[in-house]
Amino acid sequence: MDIENQLSGLRQSYEEKGYGVIKNFLASDEVERMRREARRLISEESRKDANKLQIFGNEINMKSKYFLNSSDKICYFFEKNAVDLQTLELKLPEESSLAKIAHALHSLNPIFREITTSQKVKDVYRAIGYDDPTVVQSMVIFKNPKVGGAYTPHQDASFLCTEPLVLSGIWLALDDATPENGCLEFIPGSHKWPLARRYVRTGNTQDGENLLEWTAPPKEYQDSDFVKVPVKKGDMVLIHGLVVHRSAENKSEKPRWIYTFHSYDSKHAVYSDKNWLQINENDTFLHIYDN
Ligand code: FE2
């Protein structure tokens, strides 16, 4: 299928269901370049600064300045299941223990920046009518075998709200993502529902205080409403900021690495100053069309 047909199919699915897939979006050398760079970051960079290591988890993030200040840095977050919580020693090699590298790879790392600003990414945003797609965060999420945790049902706009809501994520598979290793699952059409709750700054500033809070308890969804969306290595999933989605923990033997980034249309929407992620010391918000 030619690219124009793929993009129009993507737009149609995105508008109807709140998500869409383009198969073979990445060439295999692009996947390998990102995988190599992630491994290099882990082996060469992650241990350079002990302050750049933290366990990933909602309860920890909410009280942690490290998390709050990671918006304009490349930081390393470990899976809870991979760390002995008594001694804080890793139970597995580092490469198998990480939950994610985040949140400014798109701006600060040349390999990830190149993919994020590539022509095909620009084409995706043009296809959904964005006039100034602006990346606010990026992550490599590892979901490694046995330790890779679940992502409970959520709308991405809870974390990255804009007014009006014009937010979307691009999710790039660096491994095959299957029902066994925790592929994405969506409630089709839920992007037409309102935003259920927000994850916002409290105004507190001291480490250990409640720096973030939820504006409402989690909403309950029916398991049977979710549709699993398995994809192959190199495929791309476009995710509407309001669509309800989740992914299960990885109980398989196979990793499920992905690279993802989130953008809003800064020509037509204002980024909320209550969001957890704000411009910190460096402005790492990246205007895709200008790069
Ligand atoms: Fe998400």
Side-chain angles (χ1 to χ4, degrees), residues 145-157:
K146 308 294 182 201
V147 296
Y151 283 69
T152 55
H154 65 277
Q155 296 163 293
D156 290 339

Side-chain angles (χ1 to χ4, degrees), residues 143-275:
K143 210 184 269 283
N144 277 312
K146 308 294 182 201
V147 296
Y151 283 69
T152 55
H154 65 277
Q155 296 163 293
D156 290 339
S158 291
F159 303 92
L160 305 168
C161 197
T162 70
E163 179 54 48
L165 209 289
V166 195
L167 175 81
S168 56
I170 283 186
W171 190 100
L172 301 169
L174 306 182
D175 279 309
D176 293 350
T178 66
E180 291 72 39
N181 69 3
C183 66
L184 286 170
E185 303 177 27
F186 292 95
I187 302 182
S190 55
H191 64 303
K192 294 173 181 162
W193 300 351
L195 183 57
R197 60 180 188 151
R198 292 186 58 191
Y199 189 59
V200 293
R201 290 183 173 229
T202 58
N204 291 334
T205 54
Q206 295 300 311
D207 213 18
E209 289 183 325
N210 288 326
L211 308 176
L212 297 165
E213 65 186 358
W214 286 103
T215 57
K219 236 179 127 164
E220 302 283 331
Y221 302 100
Q222 298 288 327
D223 265 347
S224 57
D225 290 342
F226 286 89
V227 172
K228 291 186 168 68
V229 180
V231 294
K232 293 283 183 199
K233 188 193 276 202
D235 293 353
M236 184 277 288
V237 187
L238 178 66
I239 305 173
H240 191 287
L242 284 172
V243 74
V244 177
H245 59 288
R246 69 181 184 183
S247 65
E249 58 190 345
N250 182 1
K251 290 184 176 161
S252 80
E253 301 292 339
K254 293 190 175 154
R256 197 226 63 182
W257 288 20
I258 62 111
Y259 172 59
T260 187
F261 52 92
H262 291 87
S263 314
Y264 76 108
D265 189 346
S266 58
K267 175 134 190 245
H268 300 293
V270 175
Y271 187 80
S272 168
D273 63 6
K274 297 284 273 178
N275 289 337

